[in-house]
């Protein structure tokens, strides 16, 4: 039985290593042809808007050195709360966490914004944050 388990584990490691190698090669070869998330979401119906989003917003504005990615995320989350834009808030909360903001800091931002952008916007933002934090 021990030999059987050892053999199965050995085969799994070899197969796993092969798949990982293949996936890495596929990712590298598809990198140039892969569509951005923006292109996937709106490129078919609004190609120019998708292009501007990729080339101007993300490749230029978000990359400017005057503000850190973390600070840009904080500003963006605040604006989306104030404007009550729940669809965009969801993805920007994920991005904010990736850019170094903690869940505690994001909740504090939403609480702070309640007094500047209105209670209903903050309550909606907390509901979205709760969902996002549970998913990630």
């Amino acid at each position: 039985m021990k030999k059987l388990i050892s053999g199965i584990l050995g085969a799994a490691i070899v197969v796993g290593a092969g798949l990982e190698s293949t996936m890495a090669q596929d990712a590298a070869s598809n990198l140039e042809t892969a569509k951005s998330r923006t292109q996937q979401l709106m490129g078919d119906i609004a190609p120019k808007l998708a292009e501007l989003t990729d080339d101007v917003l993300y490749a230029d504005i978000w990359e400017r050195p005057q503000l850190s990615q973390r600070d840009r995320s904080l500003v963006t989350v605040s604006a989306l709360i104030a404007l009550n834009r729940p669809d965009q808030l969801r993805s920007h909360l994920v991005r904010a966490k990736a850019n170094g903001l903690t869940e505690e800091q994001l909740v504090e931002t939403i609480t702070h914004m309640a007094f500047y952008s209105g209670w209903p916007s903050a309550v909606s933002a907390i509901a979205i944050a709760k969902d996002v934090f549970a998913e990630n």
Side-chain angles (χ1 to χ4, degrees):
M1 183 70 165
K2 222 175 190 182
K3 285 184 180 181
L4 177 63
I5 292 173
S6 176
I8 292 171
L9 286 175
I13 290 169
V14 170
V15 170
L19 285 175
E20 187 175 302
S21 172
T22 302
M23 287 169 55
Q25 289 171 353
D26 287 348
S29 66
N30 290 334
L31 191 58
E32 291 178 357
T33 59
K35 285 186 174 183
S36 71
R37 181 75 176 131
T38 305
Q39 291 294 333
Q40 293 171 15
L41 290 173
M42 67 174 100
D44 59 333
I45 191 166
K48 187 61 178 181
L49 182 58
E51 177 189 335
L52 290 169
T53 301
D54 284 342
D55 297 347
V56 178
L57 179 59
Y58 292 128
D60 181 16
I61 300 301
W62 270 87
E63 296 302 321
R64 293 168 54 82
Q66 292 83 358
L67 289 175
S68 68
Q69 296 280 305
R70 180 194 177 280
D71 291 347
R72 288 186 190 282
S73 282
L74 189 58
V75 169
T76 302
V77 165
S78 297
L80 294 172
I81 293 166
L83 295 169
N84 197 15
R85 298 294 191 261
D87 293 336
Q88 290 77 27
L89 179 60
R90 178 173 300 282
S91 63
H92 279 282
L93 286 171
V94 172
R95 185 175 184 145
K97 285 181 64 178
N99 285 337
L101 288 159
T102 66
E103 290 180 8
E104 182 180 39
Q105 290 169 325
L106 291 166
V107 168
E108 185 62 25
T109 299
I110 294 168
T111 302
H112 186 80
M113 291 303 296
F115 293 91
Y116 291 91
S117 64
W119 214 261
S121 294
V123 171
S124 294
I126 283 294
I128 291 166
K130 185 177 179 180
D131 288 345
V132 168
F133 299 161
E135 293 169 2
N136 296 305

